[in-house]
Each structure stands twice: as C-alpha cells, then as structure tokens.
C-alpha cells in the first residue's frame, strides 16, 4: 500500500536579510514544533502562498514595518496570518505580539465585514448586545460606522489608559486600536490587557497608517522594545503563540 501525504505548507520568515543567520534560533524553534520554515522576500508572495508569516519588526529587521504595510495593502497577501516577533541583533527571540489581525486606514468597509465574518466575530452580534472599542486619538468615524453596521455598539477611547479603564469597567467584545496612541502603542495595550482577567482574551485588531516614514518605523520599534524580555523566550513559550495564531 502506498501512503499518500499532503505536502506541509511553509511558514515564511520575513524581515531578515538572507545570509546573516539571525533566523537560526527562530528556525530551530519552528522546526521543533513540526513546522517547515524558510527566510523569504516579500516580492515572492505573489507566486507563493505560505501557511503564515513570521515577521521581525525589531530595529534590526530589514524594514519589518514596511513589509507589514505592503502585506496588508496587497489583495493577494493581506489574508495571510502574520505573527510579529522582536528578534535581538543576534537573533534571540525577545518578544511576540500575537494580535488578532491588522487593517489599513482608511478601512475598506466590505473587507472589514468579510474578515470579521471569517473570524467568527459577527454571528453573536445579531443575538446579543455587544460592544466594540475603537481606541484612537481621532475617533475613526468611518471605522466606527462600519462597526455599527455589524450590529455592535461602539465605545471610544482616545488614549491607552482610557481604553484600559473602560475595558475594566465593562468588558468589550473586540478592540480596534491605532498602532500608536498618545500614551502607548497598541502592542503595549495588548500586553496590559493580558494581565486583566476581563480583557485577556479580547481580540485586538491593529489599525495601520497607510504610510509610515522611516523615522516613524524606527520610533515604533523602539517604543515596543521595552516590552520584550531581557532573556529570550523558550521554545515552548514561542510555540504557544504560534499555535494560537493558527
């Protein structure tokens, strides 16, 4: 009897310059979890369809934030799951940011509705009175109207501290957060929500600006640098994030 096996789809590692070996530890972690991975380039996404993308967004990356924007603006690639990681200069895994997903601004209302349905986050809104938070210094009126069209009540927060306070008073079903708030990044907000029993499992979607200057990208990388560990994550800790992202 001939056993037929379906080829395993790969995880692509982006944001790392081929040949500098910064991916070695990350690749060994993925291999230990039974994943096939390789360092790739964004340009090859048009001809390849990886299972997911692991993207380095540290200051040592090869334009990690720029790559993320390209992925999420591209109709061919934007639905591929992306897991953000923070690698040290020598490639140690210092942090993982497993947000629920990303949307570029201004938000495409039909695409938003389609993705929320895929995530399974719209069905209960038709039965229950559910609230969704929009955390942004501008309020994001277009996005808020699109969320309301999906039968959610919108709660607005204009700073990270306000978002934390509101979510502690009354848990919300989902959160849409600008990548940078006046007092913290969306990734710090997520880290703080993890410590809150009411907010630890709340899906958080990051709203990306349509374009970012080089200075803004570096500033954002430095902003989240204080969230990473001084010591590297263990293999099991890292794989826990990957499995939850599948």
């Amino acid at each position: 009897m001939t056993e037929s096996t379906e080829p395993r789809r790969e995880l692509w590692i982006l944001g790392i310059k081929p040949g500098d070996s910064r991916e070695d530890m990350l690749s060994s972690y993925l291999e230990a979890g039974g994943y096939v991975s390789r360092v790739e380039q964004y340009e090859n996404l048009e001809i390849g369809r990886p299972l997911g993308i692991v993207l380095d967004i540290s200051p040592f990356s090869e334009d990690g934030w720029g790559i993320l924007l390209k992925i999420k603006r591209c109709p061919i690639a934007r639905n591929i799951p992306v897991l953000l990681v923070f690698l040290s200069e020598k490639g140690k895994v210092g942090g993982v940011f497993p947000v629920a997903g990303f949307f570029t601004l201004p938000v495409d209302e039909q695409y938003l509705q389609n993705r929320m349905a895929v995530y399974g986050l719209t069905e209960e809104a038709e039965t229950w009175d559910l609230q969704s938070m929009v955390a942004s210094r501008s309020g994001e009126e277009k996005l808020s109207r699109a969320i309301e069209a999906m039968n959610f009540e919108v709660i607005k927060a204009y700073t990270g501290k306000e978002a934390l306070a509101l979510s502690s008073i009354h848990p919300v079903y989902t959160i849409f957060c600008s990548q940078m708030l006046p007092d913290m990044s969306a990734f710090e907000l997520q880290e703080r929500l993890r410590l809150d029993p009411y907010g630890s499992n709340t899906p958080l979607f990051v709203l990306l600006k349509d374009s970012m200057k080089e200075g803004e990208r570096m500033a954002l990388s430095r902003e989240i640098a204080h969230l990473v560990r001084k010591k590297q994550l263990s293999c099991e800790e890292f794989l826990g994030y990957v499995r939850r992202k599948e």
Side-chain angles (χ1 to χ4, degrees), residues 121-138:
L121 296 173
T122 56
E123 295 178 2
E124 293 190 6
E126 298 176 359
T127 305
W128 307 99
D129 294 328
L130 299 176
Q131 296 177 323
S132 183
M133 180 182 293
V134 174
S136 169
R137 69 175 68 201
S138 68

Side-chain angles (χ1 to χ4, degrees), residues 88-219:
S88 73
E89 188 173 8
K90 295 183 177 180
K92 293 182 179 180
V93 183
V96 182
F97 302 95
V99 300
F102 302 89
F103 293 100
T104 55
L105 295 172
V107 169
D108 180 327
E109 182 174 344
Q110 188 59 55
Y111 178 67
L112 172 68
Q113 293 177 353
N114 291 342
R115 294 310 296 167
M116 294 296 284
V118 169
Y119 293 133
L121 296 173
T122 56
E123 295 178 2
E124 293 190 6
E126 298 176 359
T127 305
W128 307 99
D129 294 328
L130 299 176
Q131 296 177 323
S132 183
M133 180 182 293
V134 174
S136 169
R137 69 175 68 201
S138 68
E140 298 297 343
E141 291 299 328
K142 181 179 179 181
L143 171 64
S144 298
R145 290 194 298 270
I147 295 172
E148 289 173 340
M150 293 185 287
N151 298 314
F152 289 98
E153 178 187 351
V154 172
I155 296 178
K156 293 188 178 183
Y158 298 92
T159 67
K161 290 181 180 178
E162 185 178 5
L164 290 168
L166 289 172
S167 63
S168 66
I169 295 172
H170 185 79
V172 293
Y173 195 64
T174 58
I175 297 175
F176 295 83
C177 182
S178 298
Q179 61 193 58
M180 279 299 299
L181 295 168
D183 54 348
M184 67 182 71
S185 68
F187 309 99
E188 181 174 352
L189 176 61
Q190 183 189 43
E191 291 294 305
R192 293 195 182 191
L193 285 170
R194 286 182 186 174
L195 304 176
D196 184 341
Y198 292 110
S200 58
N201 293 319
T202 305
L204 186 147
F205 296 92
V206 177
L207 305 172
L208 302 172
K209 292 173 60 177
D210 185 62
S211 63
M212 293 176 64
K213 297 179 180 178
E214 179 62 26
E216 291 177 312
R217 298 174 188 177
M218 294 302 294

